[in-house]
């Protein structure tokens, strides 16, 4: 009998512990408490002009959402529920903007961090560099605007620490991209970005969808195999120009329209979540791809709750694709 009682007590304790650890307010599942939304399968929709929750800084976006949206070509058949359509970071037309105008004010972003050393340290921990390296890191990035609704891991700032959650950023969002073409900073809030990660089940979107949103058109950016020297970008009026990597638009020059103006997408293999604050050196290897199509998903309902604010128990709508296999390089 004593042995049976001991076993029963242990089972009860294990169940209680599992319930406690799975609660959003205990860390590990809520985007606003330093965890990720991956465990809950939630993906938050973020309109281009919306600052969003737990911002690192004030907005440094210098352009309105002027980039002309484009639908990726290729990848039109069904795919696993956690797959996502990937577009190569050096694809012509992946990004847009206005010639000779930077979509983000990099120097203003640097000044914000210099005035807030705690946030600068948190930002540095996400992108895996030293706080003193943040200015040089930001200056190495290229300001552009998204031309497709793009899935990422977004990192906010709350209670002195970085948070993380899965998000879809609307086409027209101003971002800074690295030398492989991967979005690394969202200019409307100063948040560091990293590639998305897979959710354990079919992703569920939360937040209000914008006009024209379709989960089947959501993409993620896969890193180019070689550093990108020049980004071929499209203006709102349909003109094309080239922007050198790391330049803020001062050296922009016109270029003919490319033969393929709609970037081609392919299905990427999801990857498990990783610790964004790990000291492990980052990599920027491209993920495994196939020539099948993007995910088949449902659309979000119109009465979905806003992005994470510490309560992720609201109603959810349709889904988006899952993560990629590229590991988050310096972001």
């Amino acid at each position: 009998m004593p042995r049976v009682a001991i076993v029963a007590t242990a089972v009860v304790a294990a169940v209680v512990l599992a319930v406690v650890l799975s609660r959003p307010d205990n860390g590990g599942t809520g985007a606003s408490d330093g965890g990720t939304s991956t465990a809950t399968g939630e993906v938050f929709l973020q309109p281009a002009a919306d600052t969003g929750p737990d911002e690192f800084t004030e907005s440094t976006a210098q352009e309105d959402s002027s980039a002309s949206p484009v639908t990726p070509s290729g990848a039109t058949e069904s795919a696993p529920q956690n797959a996502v359509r990937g577009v190569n970071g050096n694809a012509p037309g992946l990004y847009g903007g206005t010639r000779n105008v930077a979509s983000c004010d990099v120097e203003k972003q640097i000044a914000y961090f210099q005035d807030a050393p705690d946030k600068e340290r948190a930002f540095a921990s996400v992108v895996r560099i030293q706080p003193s390296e943040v200015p040089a890191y930001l200056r190495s990035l290229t300001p552009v605007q998204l031309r497709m609704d793009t899935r990422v891991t977004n990192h906010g700032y709350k209670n002195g620490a970085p948070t993380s959650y899965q998000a879809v950023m609307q086409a027209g969002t101003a971002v800074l991209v690295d030398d492989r073409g991967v979005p690394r900073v969202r200019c409307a809030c100063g948040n560091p970005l990293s590639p998305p990660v897979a959710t354990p089940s079919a992703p569920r979107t939360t937040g209000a969808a914008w006009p024209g949103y379709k989960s089947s058109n959501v993409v993620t950016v896969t890193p180019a195999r070689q550093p990108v020297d020049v980004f071929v970008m499209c203006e709102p009026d349909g003109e094309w120009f080239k922007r050198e990597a790391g330049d803020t638009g001062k050296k922009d020059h016109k270029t003919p329209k490319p033969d393929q103006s709609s970037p081609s997408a392919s299905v990427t293999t999801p990857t498990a979540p990783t610790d964004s604050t790990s000291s492990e050196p980052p990599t920027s290897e491209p993920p495994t791809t196939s020539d099948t199509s993007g995910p088949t998903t449902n659309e979000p309902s119109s009465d979905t709750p806003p992005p994470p604010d510490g309560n992720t128990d609201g109603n959810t709508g349709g889904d988006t694709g899952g993560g990629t296999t590229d590991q988050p390089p310096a972001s």
Side-chain angles (χ1 to χ4, degrees):
M1 289 297 295
R3 183 174 301 173
V4 172
I6 292 173
V7 172
T9 301
V11 170
V12 172
V15 171
V16 172
L17 181 61
V19 171
V20 171
L21 290 178
S22 64
R23 292 177 59 188
D25 60 355
N26 197 56
T29 58
S32 294
D33 60 10
T36 72
S37 59
T38 304
T40 62
E42 290 178 306
V43 178
F44 302 99
L45 300 181
Q46 295 195 296
D50 185 24
T51 300
D54 306 336
E55 68 275 12
F56 265 77
T57 68
E58 296 180 27
S59 175
T60 60
Q62 296 195 122
E63 283 189 278
D64 294 332
S65 303
S66 58
S68 53
V70 64
T71 301
S73 61
T76 57
E77 299 176 0
S78 62
Q81 63 181 6
N82 277 343
V84 69
R85 306 174 76 185
V87 177
N88 197 287
N90 65 356
L94 173 59
Y95 297 119
T98 303
R99 186 164 57 97
N100 301 128
V101 178
S103 59
C104 310
D105 189 332
V106 175
E107 295 305 317
K108 189 175 182 179
Q109 187 71 60
I110 292 171
Y112 279 144
F113 279 127
Q114 289 178 336
D115 291 338
D118 290 344
K119 291 184 176 182
E120 186 174 54
R121 281 191 293 270
F123 181 94
S125 73
V126 174
V127 302
R128 304 178 186 180
I129 59 177
Q130 295 299 317
S132 61
E133 298 174 313
V134 169
Y137 170 74
L138 291 172
R139 292 186 180 110
S140 73
L141 304 177
T142 308
V144 299
Q145 284 190 352
L146 302 177
R147 295 186 73 215
M148 303 179 189
D149 296 341
T150 303
R151 171 84 176 269
V152 296
T153 298
N154 200 334
H155 300 268
Y157 179 85
K158 187 174 183 180
N159 298 328
T163 66
S164 64
Y165 55 95
Q166 298 303 292
V168 172
M169 301 185 298
Q170 183 186 11
T173 299
V175 295
L176 299 174
V177 300
D178 66 13
D179 65 350
R180 301 301 175 107
V182 179
R184 294 303 177 186
V185 179
R186 185 169 184 264
C187 303
C189 52
N191 290 6
L193 307 172
S194 56
V197 296
T199 54
S201 59
R204 299 171 297 148
T205 54
T206 181
W210 41 86
Y213 171 80
K214 289 184 63 176
S215 59
S216 58
N217 287 337
V218 172
V219 302
T220 186
V221 179
T222 59
R225 294 187 178 276
Q226 301 294 331
V228 180
D229 294 325
V230 175
F231 293 95
V232 179
M233 301 166 59
C234 184
E235 294 197 76
D237 60 2
E239 294 294 323
W240 290 78
F241 67 98
K242 291 183 177 181
R243 176 167 294 172
E244 295 183 12
D247 186 58
T248 57
K250 297 178 181 178
K251 300 178 182 178
D252 290 352
H253 56 276
K254 287 187 176 183
T255 189
K257 181 179 179 179
D259 293 336
Q260 184 175 347
S261 57
S262 178
S264 178
S266 59
V267 173
T268 64
T269 305
T271 186
T274 57
D275 180 6
S276 64
T277 60
S278 168
S279 59
E280 189 77 16
T283 61
S284 188
E285 293 301 319
T288 303
T289 60
S290 67
D291 57 2
T292 55
S293 82
T296 54
T297 55
N298 299 321
E299 302 306 323
S301 62
S302 60
D303 58 350
T304 50
D309 57 1
N311 178 10
T312 56
D313 295 330
N315 296 328
T316 55
D319 52 21
T320 64
T324 67
T325 55
D326 57 306
Q327 300 302 316
S331 162

